[in-house]
Amino acid sequence: MARALALARRGQALASPNPMVGAVLVRHGKVVGQGFHTYDGLRHAEIIALESAGPAARGATLYINLEPCSHQGRTPPCTRALIAAGVARVVAAMPDPNPRVAGRGFRQLRAAGIKVEYADAFREEAQRLNEAFAAWIITRRPFVTLKSALTLDGRLALPGARWITSQASRAEVQRMRHASDALLTGIGTVLADDPLLTDRTGLPRRRPLLRVVVDSRLRLSPRSRLARSARGDVLVFTCASDSGARARALRRAGIEICSVRRSRTGEPDLRAVSAELGRRDILSVLLEAGPTLNAAASGAGLVDKIRFFYAPKIAGTLASPGSSSKRAVPPRELSGLRIERFGPDVAVEGYLRDVYRR
């Protein structure tokens, strides 16, 4: 199962909007076939493993991180192929999170005389791997991870410093970008930093990282680095007119403008933003913004997970830690807490809600 999960991870940025799946066929203690899924490759991991095993699949055990599919989609059901190949046993780490099909694949396999088991020791790892797919398939909204870099006294910036955290932390953030379908920020961050917001890992991805800006008054400059680097991968949500001179200039630069309604506070309705991203098959969003948008997204109940990178620095005062945002967000306790070191920095990660229990 560890090998199946490692194979599944090779589909990162290549499988979305499908889940990442790896499959390993074992017969008489020997691997006879294996595979992992990519969206453009079309074939599911089970089918690739069956094809590589050939006749050796008969009587074999399939180890897979996700319940085999039992319905006709872009491809025929994998359960049908497993039954036809004579697979004797299937060990899966987790069921399909889609409530309309969960367990159906297992039932079909059992009905055909195939022994089905859960690898419970790997369930948590398997669920984390496909948490974005689970959130999207259940709600049709993306899974949102709020990422911030902070000093120990909770500041988001240091006077005269471009970076708060170390190179090791920044490399990890690039890996987070690579694993995401979209990066979301606010116009305040863009005006202050003029960022590119790109995936700079150099690793292959099926579709470009979608760079999304919430810009209520459409203040994004056509001369910004975002506009000058746009290749159909920049999307701006605004409450302003989408037919004015600024909108036309941004469109000429290759930026898509999407109008959204205002919330009760007069800001862009972030739930409408989330719904539109979900409609575009965006499974995972990395929120890299300032305190205003971070608080608004959290207050709207859109943040699923947080990951804060703390540098061993203070901004000069311990008297009033935290952001300068005036938006009050009720305190919430994190679950599934993890703490990691990246160079001199400490990253704290936790969940605001369980995507598998919505």
Side-chain angles (χ1 to χ4, degrees):
M1 187 60 73
R3 188 166 182 166
L5 282 160
L7 284 167
R9 289 189 193 93
R10 293 172 63 180
Q12 190 175 78
L14 299 173
S16 181
N18 285 355
M20 290 176 278
V21 182
V24 179
L25 279 166
V26 177
R27 185 180 181 191
H28 303 314
K30 182 179 178 180
V31 173
V32 295
Q34 62 183 22
F36 68 95
H37 174 65
T38 61
Y39 188 85
D40 289 342
L42 198 64
R43 294 175 302 165
H44 288 189
E46 303 95 308
I47 303 305
I48 297 173
L50 288 172
E51 290 176 353
S52 64
R58 185 162 296 278
T61 294
L62 173 72
Y63 293 89
I64 189 165
N65 60 294
L66 185 68
E67 176 184 1
C69 68
S70 58
H71 60 285
Q72 178 72 45
R74 296 196 306 155
T75 63
C78 288
T79 50
R80 185 188 305 168
L82 293 169
I83 294 167
V87 170
R89 176 169 165 255
V90 171
V91 181
M94 62 175 285
D96 190 324
N98 187 340
R100 294 178 297 178
V101 298
R104 186 177 300 172
F106 293 147
R107 288 194 294 272
Q108 289 184 4
L109 294 172
R110 289 191 180 102
I114 296 176
K115 187 177 181 181
V116 176
E117 298 176 22
Y118 277 118
D120 289 329
F122 292 89
R123 179 176 290 212
E124 181 180 352
E125 184 179 354
Q127 289 181 332
R128 288 176 67 92
L129 180 67
N130 279 309
E131 59 195 11
F133 173 75
W136 180 79
I137 201 67
I138 294 170
T139 69
R140 293 296 166 174
R141 295 176 183 268
F143 181 91
V144 177
T145 300
L146 191 163
K147 167 263 164 186
S148 279
L150 305 98
T151 62
L152 290 178
D153 50 345
R155 299 298 179 177
L156 299 173
L158 280 172
R162 183 180 180 187
W163 307 108
I164 290 179
T165 52
S166 67
Q167 185 176 351
S169 290
R170 298 197 299 273
E172 176 63 14
V173 170
Q174 288 299 318
R175 288 189 285 270
M176 293 174 69
R177 288 184 181 184
H178 178 70
S180 303
D181 292 332
L183 191 156
L184 176 64
T185 195
I187 187 60
T189 297
V190 175
L191 294 177
D193 301 336
D194 194 23
L196 276 173
L197 305 177
T198 51
D199 170 6
R200 296 190 286 277
T201 61
L203 298 172
R205 55 185 308 136
R206 187 179 77 83
R207 50 185 178 176
L209 177 68
L210 182 64
R211 297 175 286 170
V212 183
V213 181
V214 177
D215 183 3
S216 60
R217 291 181 284 157
L218 206 57
R219 292 184 288 163
L220 179 64
S221 170
R223 295 183 296 277
S224 66
R225 294 209 294 168
L226 268 178
R228 286 186 282 116
S229 64
R231 299 293 184 272
D233 59 348
V234 178
L235 173 62
V236 175
F237 286 97
T238 186
C239 302
S241 170
D242 61 359
S243 59
R246 175 61 61 89
R248 292 195 300 270
L250 291 173
R251 286 197 180 97
R252 285 195 298 269
I255 293 175
E256 183 180 358
I257 310 297
C258 184
S259 295
V260 290
R261 61 181 178 266
R262 292 186 183 275
S263 66
R264 286 177 295 179
T265 60
E267 301 162 341
D269 188 331
L270 294 181
R271 296 194 67 80
V273 169
S274 174
E276 176 60 22
L277 292 175
R279 189 187 67 79
R280 294 170 182 245
D281 291 347
I282 298 296
L283 273 59
S284 53
V285 170
L286 183 61
L287 176 58
E288 291 191 48
T292 301
L293 185 56
N294 286 347
S298 180
L302 298 178
V303 177
D304 296 284
K305 181 167 72 173
I306 65 100
R307 199 174 193 199
F308 288 170
F309 292 80
Y310 286 96
K313 305 170 183 175
I314 59 172
T317 176
L318 294 172
S320 54
S323 75
S324 60
S325 173
K326 296 180 181 179
R327 181 185 295 270
V329 178
R332 299 169 67 186
E333 187 171 339
L334 299 176
S335 63
L337 202 65
R338 284 190 173 191
I339 300 175
E340 298 177 85
R341 288 289 300 269
F342 293 97
D345 307 328
V346 175
V348 178
E349 176 185 281
Y351 291 85
L352 290 173
R353 57 184 169 185
D354 185 343
V355 300
Y356 294 95
R357 295 180 181 176
R358 294 194 182 206

